[in-house]
Amino acid sequence: MPIIKSAKKRVKITKKRTLRNRANKSALRTAIKRFERAVAEGDLEKAKVELVKAQSTIDKSVKKGIIHKNNAARKKSRLARMFNQLAANA
């Protein structure tokens, strides 16, 4: 445990930020899973709504520094490709 006052403060701040980042990352994963579930069910309308939500969540995660912008671009690209394949097959 830290002894210096500023170090104690940094520990508190780190805990707070860790919890916030964990919640945001969990929300990101959940949004992506909901979209993937809609695609697996073959529901085009639901998938379209979930795709928009997932992409929005990804963008927010980048803005908050949860994930890197290239990681976000890759995720969004893969989700869009999944949606386009579903749309082509429907």
Side-chain angles (χ1 to χ4, degrees):
M1 287 301 294
I3 297 169
I4 298 167
K5 189 176 182 181
S6 62
K8 289 179 184 177
K9 182 179 179 184
R10 297 309 305 175
V11 168
K12 286 165 82 173
I13 291 170
T14 302
K15 283 182 184 178
K16 202 182 295 185
R17 287 183 180 174
T18 301
L19 288 173
R20 189 181 308 137
N21 289 342
R22 192 180 299 155
N24 287 330
K25 202 159 200 173
S26 176
L28 172 66
R29 286 195 208 106
T30 302
I32 292 171
K33 284 179 187 175
R34 283 185 179 150
F35 168 73
E36 289 172 344
R37 194 175 306 126
V39 169
E41 292 171 0
D43 188 353
L44 189 62
E45 290 301 315
K46 186 176 178 186
K48 189 172 188 174
V49 171
E50 293 299 336
L51 175 63
V52 172
K53 287 182 185 176
Q55 288 178 334
S56 174
T57 307
I58 291 169
D59 288 336
K60 288 175 185 173
S61 295
V62 171
K63 188 176 175 184
K64 293 175 183 175
I66 306 299
I67 60 174
H68 192 271
K69 65 179 183 176
N70 291 351
N71 186 348
R74 184 175 65 246
K75 286 182 188 300
K76 287 169 60 176
S77 175
R78 287 178 180 173
L79 295 179
R81 188 172 35 179
M82 285 175 67
F83 178 77
N84 290 338
Q85 286 176 348
L86 176 67
N89 294 335

